[in-house]
Amino acid sequence: MVKTGGRTASFTLDDVVAAGVRIGLADLSLQRVADALGVTPTAVYRHVPSRAALEGLVGEAILAGLTLVDDPADSTEDHLVSFAAQMRAFTLAHPGTAAYLQRLFPRGRSGIRLLEAQITTLGSRGYDPAAATALSSAIATVTLGITAADEARTAHASVDPAGAEEATRDALSAMAGSPLIQAATAGIPAHTADDYFLLLVRSTAHGLVAQLPPGRPVAALISTLTDRREDR
């Protein structure tokens, strides 16, 4: 129970998390949650010990809304691309989630549920838990990296639109002064951010499956890659 503006307000940890989910991970802070609840930050601290703890609770609550859909008819490569596309769509719809997942995963029940689902799904395609985790982690790393970068660019442009436009013009002007870069860009067809994402993810999935087919232990792959590095 806390006093706010002469009245007594009562709220629970669930109220704190719900307010955090509404605010979103990108804008999350103890102050914002307190403002949303009409209380002081000190009152929020009675339910969560730190900003990091708040982020974990809110992040897991957001991830609870993500259910990965698998088509059993998909090849392993197609499944990994679908997994990446679903993760990208979800994280773009919930700004800040990509960066949250990059920092530490899994943190709680929701993350564990997602990882277990991937292990089970790839297990049905002949992969042991270690290989399934390696494949999923690699695809997730690429997916989250690209998505977080896209979010950072969007956030920067929204804060300083004029500055972002000027920076883009300067970059294009600088590239125009290089005949070699002009020739290179001329050979690249027009494409969207999603096109670029699918190109990278498809290529990554194809290479991963080639290097780690069903039945090959992760340790054997790592040993091979290590041997190649030492031979250089």
Side-chain angles (χ1 to χ4, degrees):
M1 305 285 285
V2 295
K3 290 287 186 179
T4 59
R7 62 186 176 81
T8 300
S10 178
F11 66 99
T12 66
L13 178 59
D14 287 342
D15 295 323
V16 171
V17 174
V21 170
R22 291 193 298 272
I23 292 166
L25 287 169
D27 299 315
L28 185 67
S29 71
L30 284 158
Q31 183 64 61
R32 284 179 178 267
V33 169
D35 291 343
L37 294 173
V39 300
T40 65
T42 300
V44 177
Y45 272 117
R46 293 172 185 167
H47 292 279
V48 290
S50 65
R51 197 273 182 195
L54 175 65
E55 180 187 68
L57 291 168
V58 172
E60 291 304 308
I62 290 174
L63 286 181
L66 172 59
T67 299
L68 298 170
V69 178
D70 171 50
D71 184 345
D74 281 349
S75 65
T76 299
E77 181 180 323
D78 287 340
H79 166 73
L80 291 175
V81 172
S82 174
F83 163 61
Q86 291 178 65
M87 281 195 66
R88 177 173 169 80
F90 184 85
T91 52
L92 285 176
H94 300 81
T97 308
Y100 167 81
L101 291 170
Q102 280 184 310
R103 285 191 288 275
L104 182 63
F105 179 83
R107 295 194 196 183
R109 289 194 302 272
S110 294
I112 289 171
R113 173 183 61 83
L114 293 172
L115 182 54
E116 287 181 340
Q118 271 297 97
I119 291 173
T120 299
T121 296
L122 287 171
S124 68
R125 291 172 169 82
Y127 286 92
D128 65 34
T133 301
L135 286 174
S136 300
S137 297
I139 289 294
T141 297
V142 173
T143 299
L144 297 174
I146 297 171
T147 304
D150 287 345
E151 284 189 352
R153 282 191 292 271
T154 300
H156 174 70
S158 66
V159 171
D160 183 12
E165 289 181 11
E166 182 179 0
T168 299
R169 288 195 300 269
D170 289 346
L172 292 174
S173 177
M175 289 190 292
S178 170
L180 183 58
I181 293 180
Q182 279 208 322
T185 55
I188 300 175
H191 61 279
T192 66
D194 286 339
D195 293 334
Y196 180 67
F197 170 76
L198 287 175
L199 169 66
L200 290 184
V201 167
R202 174 65 70 179
S203 300
T204 301
H206 182 78
L208 284 170
V209 173
Q211 291 291 326
L212 193 61
R216 186 181 191 190
V218 175
L221 173 59
I222 293 175
S223 178
T224 298
L225 296 175
T226 302
D227 290 342
R228 289 177 182 173
R229 183 179 61 201
E230 293 176 349
D231 289 340
R232 293 178 180 175

